[in-house]
Amino acid sequence: MKVFVKRGDSYQEFEVPRQPSQTVLDVVTYIQRHLDPTLAYRYACRVGMCGSCAMMVNDVPRWTCRTHVDKVAKGDRITIGPLRNLPVIRDLVTDMREFFDKWARAKGEFHGAQTKKDDFAKVPPQSPERVLVDKGIECIGCGVCYAACDVVKWNPDYLGPAALNRAWTLVKDARDNQTLARLRAVSGDAGCHACHSHVSCTERCPKHLSPTAAIAGLKREVAKAVLQGDL
Ligand code: SF4
Ligand code: SF4
Ligand code: FES
């Protein structure tokens, strides 16, 4: 199989033997171990839990450890590159700092009012608020949705689907007391209203989450807060 790996501004071609049940991560690992030890890439769990192996495969962002070559190879060729919309450190390794800085800008951290002396908060699993974020809290921050989003490409300031999904889970968290500050943080030009509802993030999320729905929820909450005179 011919494998084209993006390295800097150009692609380097490698010949990699096909194997049964071979994943794209297996291909990258084969290249690094047998053909070019200088190839830089990142992975950890190899079982779809950490999200660190995300790359562009034939121009589509994917977890490479969960992507079988048989499913994505075009003929006997495959193209692999670093995640889109992020600065590249080297070869297939991207710098995730701006991705997580945006989580901070979207107030993606929990602020509770209770102290350790208080009893545990009880959030019934079937409560409407909890059900709304049931899927969203499973995000592992892999950056696949961020790489899939054209609005991030056009407007690098845009907070993006993952940070906004995170903000949504906290807006609906009954224990958190920073809802208005968070809605303010996500309501600017680079926030939820910049989303064009293209749904690419939702189509690509390997965990089948829906950042698009989360962002629509944020838009509704922001509108409600504005009508109530809170924002
Ligand atoms: S929403 Fe999905 S694709 Fe986006 S960072 Fe979270 S797990 Fe990854
Ligand atoms: S729905 Fe919004 S966040 Fe998701 S890819 Fe489209 S523009 Fe980006
Ligand atoms: S290596 Fe952890 S998700 Fe692929």
Side-chain angles (χ1 to χ4, degrees):
M1 160 176 54
K2 286 195 188 317
V3 182
F4 299 87
V5 178
K6 189 149 195 262
R7 304 188 81 174
D9 292 334
S10 56
Y11 285 87
Q12 189 175 353
E13 184 180 336
F14 297 96
E15 190 66 39
V16 177
R18 290 283 279 265
Q19 304 284 350
S21 303
Q22 187 178 29
T23 66
V24 175
L25 184 60
D26 292 335
V27 169
V28 176
T29 302
Y30 180 92
I31 294 172
Q32 200 265 349
R33 294 204 179 146
H34 299 280
L35 304 176
D36 187 343
T38 69
L39 179 67
Y41 68 114
R42 185 162 49 208
Y43 74 95
C45 72
R46 302 190 75 167
V47 289
M49 286 180 73
C50 70
S52 65
C53 66
M55 299 171 205
M56 303 300 289
V57 181
N58 291 342
D59 281 331
V60 173
R62 296 179 182 278
W63 290 347
T64 52
C65 74
R66 301 289 286 175
T67 302
H68 281 98
V69 169
D70 287 346
K71 272 200 173 168
V72 291
K74 295 198 167 134
D76 215 26
R77 300 159 72 97
I78 197 162
T79 303
I80 305 169
L83 272 188
R84 195 174 74 133
N85 296 339
L86 287 161
V88 177
I89 295 173
R90 207 179 102 195
D91 299 336
L92 302 170
V93 180
T94 48
D95 185 343
M96 301 294 283
R97 271 178 296 187
E98 71 181 44
F99 175 76
F100 286 111
D101 283 351
K102 288 179 177 181
W103 286 47
R105 272 175 49 201
K107 291 211 167 290
E109 73 282 353
F110 174 78
H111 286 278
Q114 289 182 300
T115 70
K116 60 184 177 187
K117 292 187 183 133
D118 295 311
D119 193 8
F120 287 112
K122 294 176 184 64
V123 181
Q126 298 312 326
S127 71
E129 304 265 284
R130 177 62 181 75
V131 168
L132 272 177
V133 295
D134 205 36
K135 288 174 84 182
I137 59 174
E138 299 295 333
C139 172
I140 60 169
C142 67
V144 163
C145 55
Y146 191 83
C149 178
D150 280 337
V151 175
V152 174
K153 188 176 168 201
W154 302 328
N155 174 10
D157 209 29
Y158 175 45
L159 292 172
L164 291 170
N165 174 73
R166 170 69 180 160
W168 169 244
T169 62
L170 290 169
V171 163
K172 289 288 141 190
D173 190 327
R175 304 162 304 165
D176 186 277
N177 64 359
Q178 292 288 305
T179 301
L180 274 182
R182 192 168 294 109
L183 290 179
R184 201 168 288 120
V186 302
S187 62
D189 287 347
C192 56
H193 293 99
C195 169
H196 290 196
S197 307
H198 286 143
V199 202
S200 318
C201 54
T202 299
E203 282 171 1
R204 293 291 166 219
C205 174
K207 289 189 72 86
H208 308 293
L209 313 184
S210 179
T212 317
I215 294 166
L218 284 176
K219 287 179 182 172
R220 283 196 304 274
E221 294 294 328
V222 168
K224 220 189 295 171
V226 168
L227 285 175
Q228 287 167 352
D230 294 333
L231 278 185

